[in-house]
Amino acid sequence: METTPPPACRKIIHIDMDAFYASVEQRDNPEYRGKPLVVGGLPQGRGGVVATASYEARKFGIHSAMPSKQALQLCPHALFVKPRFDVYKEVSRKIREIFSRYTDLIEPLSLDEAYLDVTLDKLGIGSALEIAKQIKQSIRDELQLTASAGISVNKFVAKIASDINKPDGLKFIGPSAIEVFMEKLPVEKFHGVGRVTAQKMKSMGLHTGADLKKLTEDELIKNFGKAGRFYYKIVRGIDERQVQPHRETKSLAAEDTFSYDLTSLEEMEAELTRIAQLVYSRSLKNNLKGRTITLKIKYSDFKQITRSQSFSMPVVSLEAIIATARQLLAATSPEGRQIRLLGISLSNFNEPVPVKQHEKATVQLKLSFGNFI
Ligand code: DCP
Ligand code: MG
């Protein structure tokens, strides 16, 4: 077994394809090239969301997870096409084959994104920058697509670096440049900092890495809990997470802590719809279809409950996720309670199911959702 050397001298590349689904569609359909193209749910359908948009469409403000109807309003002449997951999966397989020429330490994060540890590359090239250049060139030559690469000594910095010169980007952030780079980084770009944490940080006058660096580890932990410890390290450019080649996605979740407690069913359902859209688009991004939907509720007194429902078939539509989450919520008699967090997760991916156990769920499913699933 190959072992990863100590973190200080690692060479990590993060690769992310540019406008992935849209670029594949433009490659395979020359008539889409140079045009604003949206891949995802069609705007005529109910509840469709944008999976991704070509860079031409992004100029109009269109982005992933936006309702397709809104995308059409922003750019009435945009072209809309449905995703072809089998094709993207096959491209993804080919990209990974290219990676595997250089290393076996590959950790895919989704179909179009992966971390590579090239500290000991198979070909003995030695330079991570050179390897990233070769990978980008092979993706271009063999697949007629472009990718962006970030190179550094850890995962966190490599991932942020790959986003810097997108599309077709290449960015190396070496050890001596990391601290300055982290000091300039806005807090919302930090791993694990969501909307609410970013708001809290800003209200405390913390806008960049440099501001975070002024706090001691204890102060960070006091204000941000366990994550504080991670922020303390990361702002100093320390991220010891290993590239994990066999990591399996067991569940996919989205949740939100609200800036004020929700008390009306109407507000709760509206937030659930938004969270369901996030989970749904993440499931598309990861090409994972789950059979179990779990609702998480945290009340104002921090008491937390979860409620799940499993089906015999994978849940494939946004409407079904929304309907299930609402049913699970309704069963908790939420009206009048004070809710500070709602979350939805999908799990039980693509596993065969013994028939007997699930007959009941199937019947229930048909009653509840008709042909949504
Ligand atoms: N995706 C999705 N729903 C989302 C985000 C992404 O279905 N909310 C899908 C479509 C994307 C693919 O996953 O093409 C990869 O996601 P990225 O976030 O890497 O976005 P893109 O590759 O499309 O664009 P970028 O050039 O910004 O990486
Ligand atoms: Mg991408």
Side-chain angles (χ1 to χ4, degrees), residues 62-63 115:
I62 300 175
H63 58 76
Y115 289 115

Side-chain angles (χ1 to χ4, degrees), residues 54 194 253:
S54 67

Side-chain angles (χ1 to χ4, degrees), residues 16-21 51-52 55 58 112 166 281 284-285:
D16 189 306
M17 301 296 289
D18 302 319
F20 184 44
Y21 297 179
T52 197
Y55 277 79
R58 292 183 195 195
D112 90 320
K166 241 182 189 301
S281 55
L284 292 183
K285 181 175 158 101

Side-chain angles (χ1 to χ4, degrees), residues 21-22 25 37-45 47-53 64-68 79-85 88 280-281 284:
Y21 297 179
E25 295 306 329
L37 177 72
V38 175
V39 183
L42 303 182
Q44 296 81 14
V49 290
V50 174
T52 197
S64 294
M66 169 183 278
S68 301
L79 302 167
F80 285 79
V81 296
K82 284 194 180 164
R84 295 181 299 152
F85 295 113
Y88 313 143
Y280 177 66
S281 55
L284 292 183

